[in-house]
Amino acid sequence: MANVILRPDWYVRERCVTPERAFCNRRDFLKRLGLASGGLLAATLVGCNKFEPFTLPSNTQAPNPVVDPVTSATGYPAPRNPEFNANWRLTDRNVAATYNNFYEFSPSKDPFRHVGNFVTSPWPVEITGLVEKPMTVDAMELAELFGLEERIYRFRCVEAWAMIVPWTGFPLRRLIEKVAPKPEAKFVRFETFNRPEQAPGMGRTPNYPWPYHEGLRLDEAMNPLTLLATGIYGRPLPKQHGAPVRLVVPWKYGQKSIKSIVKVDFVAAQPSTFWETLAPAEYPFENNVNPKVPHPRWSQATERVIDTGDRVRTQLYNGYGSYVAGLYSHL
Ligand SMILES: Nc1nc2c(c(=O)[nH]1)N[C@H]1C(S)=C(S)[C@@H](COP(=O)(O)O)O[C@H]1N2
Ligand SMILES: [Mo]
């Protein structure tokens, strides 16, 4: 994987393979972004068949209100873990911070416009359920308790877009070992905050099964790849990325990587998930990245890199088979 630099030979230019609809969706998105952000991110579009990536503002050193979180935190930047230091081209951080899924705030890709009233400190996280040593810890204390490191991971949404970003965090496994699960604990259930007054998307979809919730098998949660992330691009998470603490499970579709976690619950039976409850046929609990299993409404064979627009082949387990294939060898 270390030789996947800039444009490996399995890259195909997006215009060769992207369906018309994907182009037009992105064009709308760029148009909206360009109009409402007052030129913060300028997009250049030259016809429908050509895509120019974002032009960054020239003063990239100046604080950017979209991507720079207001809170200060210790431990940044964290040392990069050399095991996850592949020489991949990172996704532009401005693009990553303005193309998000966070339905509590917006069903479009623009949660960054709607997070203004979201309060992320103090932030108690309850770790509970079938454990010997339940605890409640503020997100600000996680760095001191568990340490922080940086890891560059591929990230793949079920909607067939992808990015490569440096997360700051620590293996969830460390937290699990600290609370000591009882033998009956077989799954871990995660829950997001429930504050419609701070999250305008919630009130607009009152029939959704809020708060957002997700789950992993205990062995998946214990896998060394599974991260609790508090930062991205060397800084604390901007709110739209799931401040102050989120999950990152890089071999599963992005919806498993639940944001702004308030509760981690160790349970005996497989928990429901937000998206599985909404559309069980489309979003099974396991949700592993697999190019051969199409979504009922689209192919998963390829994915679009969000900043360049390049279309690349999707890899089984998002390329992390050497870490996780053993979890599924019974299949
Ligand atoms: N609480 C919560 N977590 C969430 C979501 C959400 O809507 N609410 N969306 C998920 C989906 S579908 C994806 S692809 C990732 C997107 O993470 P990013 O916006 O930081 O790239 O967050 C996941 N975590
Ligand atoms: Mo997603």
Side-chain angles (χ1 to χ4, degrees), residues 100-104 157 163 192 212 241 246 254 257 259:
N100 301 97
N101 276 339
F102 205 166
Y103 281 73
E104 285 84 341
C157 174
M163 60 182 185
T192 295
Y212 196 98
H241 272 306
R246 69 172 297 169
S257 293
K259 295 176 168 181

Side-chain angles (χ1 to χ4, degrees), residues 310-324:
D310 286 340
R311 188 151 282 266
V312 305
R313 268 179 218 139
T314 293
Q315 301 177 47
L316 180 63
Y317 304 124
N318 204 20
Y320 292 104
S322 60
Y323 289 91
V324 302

Side-chain angles (χ1 to χ4, degrees), residues 56-91:
L56 292 178
S58 53
N59 60 335
T60 44
Q61 295 311 309
N64 176 338
V66 174
V67 291
D68 291 328
V70 278
T71 49
S72 63
T74 50
Y76 290 87
R80 188 170 288 176
N81 181 332
E83 191 179 341
F84 304 101
N85 191 23
N87 197 13
W88 294 330
R89 189 195 58 80
L90 296 182
T91 297

Side-chain angles (χ1 to χ4, degrees), residues 187-191 208-217 220 247 252-253 255-258 269-287:
F187 293 86
V188 189
R189 182 183 184 277
F190 303 85
E191 197 173 288
Y208 281 13
W210 306 112
Y212 196 98
H213 50 289
E214 256 300 340
L216 293 172
R217 285 170 17 195
E220 294 173 328
L247 195 66
K252 292 179 180 283
Y253 291 122
Q255 65 205 75
K256 302 295 283 186
S257 293
I258 180 173
Q270 180 175 306
S272 68
T273 79
F274 182 85
W275 288 110
E276 191 190 19
T277 303
L278 278 171
E282 305 199 350
Y283 308 113
F285 179 85
E286 190 168 87
N287 247 320

Side-chain angles (χ1 to χ4, degrees), residues 23-310:
F23 264 111
C24 294
N25 284 348
R26 191 182 53 243
R27 207 159 60 124
D28 288 349
F29 160 69
L30 291 172
K31 226 190 282 170
R32 268 183 282 133
L33 193 66
L35 281 177
S37 64
L40 178 67
L41 301 171
T44 315
L45 289 160
V46 193
C48 196
N49 281 336
K50 217 168 160 197
F51 170 59
E52 298 292 331
F54 293 112
T55 308
L56 292 178
S58 53
N59 60 335
T60 44
Q61 295 311 309
N64 176 338
V66 174
V67 291
D68 291 328
V70 278
T71 49
S72 63
T74 50
Y76 290 87
R80 188 170 288 176
N81 181 332
E83 191 179 341
F84 304 101
N85 191 23
N87 197 13
W88 294 330
R89 189 195 58 80
L90 296 182
T91 297
D92 181 273
R93 74 183 185 113
N94 292 277
V95 176
T98 49
Y99 191 87
N100 301 97
N101 276 339
F102 205 166
Y103 281 73
E104 285 84 341
F105 295 96
S106 167
S108 310
K109 291 292 176 285
D110 65 345
F112 75 98
R113 293 188 199 288
H114 305 282
V115 292
N117 295 328
F118 180 32
V119 179
T120 59
S121 174
W123 193 274
V125 183
E126 187 188 0
I127 302 137
T128 185
L130 300 169
V131 292
E132 301 292 348
K133 301 177 207 163
M135 61 192 257
T136 296
V137 56
D138 193 275
M140 286 293 273
E141 299 168 315
L142 291 170
E144 200 179 321
L145 269 174
F146 300 106
L148 292 181
E149 64 184 58
E150 184 174 70
R151 295 184 178 194
I152 296 173
Y153 276 174
R154 298 164 51 89
F155 187 93
R156 168 61 153 86
C157 174
V158 74
E159 298 161 341
W161 56 262
M163 60 182 185
I164 296 176
V165 297
W167 299 106
T168 302
F170 58 90
L172 174 64
R173 180 187 193 119
R174 250 177 241 159
L175 181 146
I176 296 176
E177 282 164 353
K178 188 156 182 104
V179 296
K182 296 178 177 170
E184 313 90 87
K186 301 290 184 223
F187 293 86
V188 189
R189 182 183 184 277
F190 303 85
E191 197 173 288
T192 295
F193 70 91
N194 191 2
R195 303 181 200 157
E197 71 285 3
Q198 294 180 15
M202 298 179 74
R204 275 192 231 116
T205 48
N207 297 328
Y208 281 13
W210 306 112
Y212 196 98
H213 50 289
E214 256 300 340
L216 293 172
R217 285 170 17 195
L218 184 61
D219 58 352
E220 294 173 328
M222 289 287 285
N223 187 277
L225 284 181
T226 307
L227 273 197
L228 272 183
T230 58
I232 189 168
Y233 295 100
R235 304 169 197 219
L237 290 169
K239 292 176 184 177
Q240 64 270 29
H241 272 306
V245 60
R246 69 172 297 169
L247 195 66
V248 180
V249 192
W251 73 94
K252 292 179 180 283
Y253 291 122
Q255 65 205 75
K256 302 295 283 186
S257 293
I258 180 173
K259 295 176 168 181
S260 306
I261 296 168
V262 296
K263 190 171 173 184
V264 181
D265 194 5
F266 291 76
V267 296
Q270 180 175 306
S272 68
T273 79
F274 182 85
W275 288 110
E276 191 190 19
T277 303
L278 278 171
E282 305 199 350
Y283 308 113
F285 179 85
E286 190 168 87
N287 247 320
N288 289 329
V289 176
N290 189 339
K292 295 212 172 110
V293 178
H295 184 279
R297 292 181 280 131
W298 59 84
S299 163
Q300 294 292 23
T302 64
E303 61 205 41
R304 177 178 55 82
V305 179
I306 56 173
D307 58 343
T308 60
D310 286 340

